Amino acid sequence: NAGVTQTPKFQVLKTGQSMTLQCAQDMNHEYMSWYRQDPGMGLRLIHYSVGAGITDQGEVPNGYNVSRSTTEDFPLRLLSAAPSQTSVYFCASSYSSGNYEQYFGPGTRLTVT
Amino acid sequence: QQPVQSPQAVILREGEDAVINCSSSKALYSVHWYRQKHGEAPVFLMILLKGGEQKGHEKISASFNEKKQQSSLYLTASQLSYSGTYFCGTVIQGAQKLVFGQGTRLTINP
């Protein structure tokens, strides 16, 4: 089991560029989610999915898009990068959100200049 | 809808006890606790479910007061390895998303 994998590990973007952060899991988890982590702000939920074809917004969804075409993959798209999106991004997965452990990926450190 | 954690930071000597609190303004289905070391991903500690079911980890335990929508994490006889940032996460009744608090930074000194 690879668990939850994220690519890339590091990325530098210029303002206005777009990119996709990749997340994949091999545990057949239905629930997947994206968080961003900024100093003093904790882990803030961007988007989440309860199964293939089903996504919903979290607490800070503006500027981000997601899709879930398969159970395994949950990519996060930055449409037009802004310096405010400089952060560490974590993807997580589990059988469900309520009563199962969340498995986190190693994170992607994104800098927008 | 982020839960509120307190305190924001704690500094202890090895062997001392600590309590970290987590509260929500909404009726909760479950409370999750995670620990994160610097530069690493959060790691699962335990889940507390509405109805009282609890899972523990080492010398770390937790309580869940459903009436007050509050949870507390207890670390007894702290070890140097307990240092890190602790996050509580909550799932509100009728909702499906897991939302985390802002974290509590725990420092254990020898």
Side-chain angles (χ1 to χ4, degrees), chain A residues 56-87:
Chain A
D56 206 345
Q57 296 182 349
E59 313 300 296
V60 288
N62 291 344
Y64 307 94
N65 271 359
V66 292
S67 59
R68 184 97 180 267
S69 56
T70 67
T71 299
E72 294 78 19
D73 301 299
F74 191 43
L76 178 72
R77 297 183 187 84
L78 279 71
L79 309 173
S80 177
S84 60
Q85 294 179 304
T86 293
S87 188

Side-chain angles (χ1 to χ4, degrees), chain A residues 40-61:
Chain A
M41 302 293 288
L43 294 157
R44 292 187 292 170
L45 181 65
I46 305 172
H47 286 285
Y48 66 100
S49 169
V50 298
I54 306 169
T55 63
D56 206 345
Q57 296 182 349
E59 313 300 296
V60 288

Side-chain angles (χ1 to χ4, degrees), chain B residues 33-85:
Chain B
W33 287 98
Y34 289 76
R35 177 171 62 207
Q36 184 181 34
K37 301 281 188 178
H38 183 69
E40 300 178 4
V43 173
F44 172 77
L45 293 176
M46 69 185 72
I47 294 174
L48 297 97
L49 300 177
K50 179 178 180 296
E53 183 181 350
Q54 177 178 335
K55 299 178 183 178
H57 179 78
E58 297 177 345
K59 291 183 182 178
I60 301 173
S61 62
S63 63
F64 179 19
N65 186 325
E66 295 172 37
K67 288 185 179 179
K68 293 185 177 180
Q69 309 308 323
Q70 292 176 347
S71 177
S72 294
L73 184 72
Y74 306 96
L75 300 98
T76 58
S78 58
Q79 306 168 13
L80 295 176
S81 62
Y82 286 2
S83 291
T85 300

Side-chain angles (χ1 to χ4, degrees), chain B:
Chain B
Q1 288 187 349
Q2 269 189 304
V4 177
Q5 288 185 234
S6 63
Q8 290 189 342
V10 182
I11 300 175
L12 299 175
R13 289 192 180 275
E14 199 173 5
E16 293 182 335
D17 300 340
V19 179
I20 300 171
N21 300 303
C22 175
S23 65
S24 173
S25 59
K26 305 281 188 180
L28 297 176
Y29 171 74
S30 63
V31 179
H32 300 222
W33 287 98
Y34 289 76
R35 177 171 62 207
Q36 184 181 34
K37 301 281 188 178
H38 183 69
E40 300 178 4
V43 173
F44 172 77
L45 293 176
M46 69 185 72
I47 294 174
L48 297 97
L49 300 177
K50 179 178 180 296
E53 183 181 350
Q54 177 178 335
K55 299 178 183 178
H57 179 78
E58 297 177 345
K59 291 183 182 178
I60 301 173
S61 62
S63 63
F64 179 19
N65 186 325
E66 295 172 37
K67 288 185 179 179
K68 293 185 177 180
Q69 309 308 323
Q70 292 176 347
S71 177
S72 294
L73 184 72
Y74 306 96
L75 300 98
T76 58
S78 58
Q79 306 168 13
L80 295 176
S81 62
Y82 286 2
S83 291
T85 300
Y86 288 77
F87 291 98
C88 77
T90 56
V91 177
I92 294 169
Q93 288 183 35
Q96 294 176 304
K97 58 184 178 182
L98 175 62
V99 180
F100 286 94
Q102 79 276 24
T104 297
R105 188 168 195 167
L106 177 65
T107 303
I108 310 293
N109 293 321

